[in-house]
Amino acid sequence: MDLARDELLLLFDVDGTLTAPRQSITEEMKEFLYQSVLPRATLGVVGGSDLEKMCEQLNGQEFLHKFDYVFPENGLVQYEAGREVGKMSISQQLGEDVLKRFINYCLHYIADLELPIKRGTFVEFRNGMLNVSPIGRNCSTAERQAFYAYDQTHQVRQRMIDRLRAEFAEVDLTYSIGGQISFDVFPTGWDKTFCLRHIAKRAKPFRAVHFFGDKTSPGGNDYEIYSHPDTIGHRVESPDDTRRQLAELLKL
């Protein structure tokens, strides 16, 4: 790999790619990224979470200045060189009436849903999407893992998505399962490929854009950007696998 740093962009998902799900980045991964990878490539991160949650996982504000591009909420919020440069709003796009009806339906559905446990924060409003969690985002790490295993068998999230698709068929929405306990809902086209629109504004285009993510199958929240013609997609199994593939790509 002999591309200059400003000719190569490496874009990363967060959960399952740079960190374990909802866990903090390890010192080993930070050292590898900042000392070995950063001198060789432009770095970007794109995740479904808001900036606050990204900061929790990626060691506070440090990553905001280490990564050249930071795209919270699928890139509906854009940071470049540590500074916010753009933001989109799902409330403006859908309108308050549709948004209120959708949230009410989700809360009624979850209220009637039989699960082993429930916690709190079932619908989280973000600038560019809604994040819906049948168990509630306030669950512990152990409860999160238990729900994920339960969902693998009972397809709780997929069944809820199927109901929402039927109920709101007239609204052009995309549903994307990511992480262990929730799914994202956003206007069609507002998936992680949205960040590519911002990257395309660059005066000097990148010669190559590589994306690394773990939820790359159809229906996963990395699928669209992983399979996009403007990216070279890398499916990873874990942060350790991300390091291994990066070392291979960059000949480290």
Side-chain angles (χ1 to χ4, degrees):
M1 179 62 62
D2 57 358
L3 295 181
R5 181 181 185 275
D6 65 350
E7 294 181 319
L8 175 66
L9 173 61
L10 304 178
L11 266 178
F12 300 94
D13 168 51
V14 182
D15 273 2
T17 302
L18 293 181
T19 77
R22 290 302 301 143
Q23 300 299 304
S24 298
I25 192 169
T26 65
E27 288 299 320
E28 292 78 10
M29 177 61 93
K30 278 175 49 186
E31 182 178 338
F32 177 72
L33 286 173
Y34 298 157
Q35 295 186 16
S36 300
V37 179
L38 185 59
R40 294 169 171 80
T42 300
L43 298 186
V45 59
V46 53
S49 297
D50 58 25
L51 182 65
E52 181 179 356
K53 289 187 177 64
M54 277 190 169
C55 286
E56 289 174 6
Q57 289 184 257
L58 298 176
N59 200 41
Q61 295 287 322
E62 178 188 23
F63 90 98
L64 193 57
H65 300 281
K66 291 285 190 180
F67 280 75
D68 303 85
Y69 294 103
V70 174
F71 298 117
E73 303 183 42
N74 283 359
L76 277 302
V77 183
Q78 305 114 36
Y79 287 82
E80 190 169 346
R83 184 174 60 90
E84 184 182 309
V85 294
K87 180 185 292 185
M88 299 290 287
S89 168
I90 189 174
S91 59
Q92 291 179 350
Q93 182 75 8
L94 297 183
E96 290 298 338
D97 288 343
V98 170
L99 197 58
K100 182 171 64 176
R101 184 164 63 90
F102 189 93
I103 291 171
N104 285 344
Y105 186 90
C106 286
L107 293 175
H108 281 292
Y109 181 95
I110 292 170
D112 294 334
L113 192 60
E114 287 297 329
L115 293 176
I117 62 169
K118 290 181 184 175
R119 294 300 180 249
T121 311
F122 300 102
V123 179
E124 185 173 82
F125 177 84
R126 301 173 182 171
N127 286 298
M129 70 179 73
L130 296 174
N131 179 263
V132 182
S133 175
I135 185 179
R137 296 195 62 87
N138 292 354
C139 60
S140 67
T141 299
E143 291 164 345
R144 167 187 292 269
Q145 293 168 349
F147 174 81
Y148 182 65
Y150 184 88
D151 187 52
Q152 294 290 94
T153 301
H154 296 89
Q155 300 292 301
V156 177
R157 290 182 289 179
Q158 188 58 56
R159 289 174 184 271
M160 185 172 179
I161 287 171
D162 292 343
R163 285 282 297 275
L164 287 166
R165 280 202 175 106
E167 184 70 20
F168 294 89
E170 80 285 359
V171 186
D172 195 12
L173 295 171
T174 293
Y175 302 83
S176 183
I177 294 176
Q180 295 175 305
I181 61 167
S182 65
F183 59 90
D184 296 328
V185 186
F186 44 83
T188 297
W190 285 23
D191 52 61
K192 287 183 179 177
T193 61
F194 197 91
C195 75
L196 301 177
R197 305 184 194 187
H198 180 74
I199 293 166
K201 298 175 184 177
R202 190 173 186 258
K204 180 184 178 183
F206 290 104
R207 286 181 57 191
V209 178
H210 292 259
F211 172 77
F212 296 79
D214 66 320
K215 295 292 190 295
T216 57
S217 299
N221 64 357
D222 295 326
Y223 172 73
E224 288 83 4
I225 190 168
Y226 167 80
S227 58
H228 196 277
D230 290 346
T231 69
I232 300 167
H234 301 263
R235 178 186 290 110
V236 302
E237 302 294 334
S238 66
D240 286 344
D241 190 33
T242 301
R243 287 181 58 181
R244 182 189 63 77
Q245 293 195 39
L246 278 171
E248 186 176 299
L249 175 69
L250 298 173
K251 304 290 193 293
L252 297 175

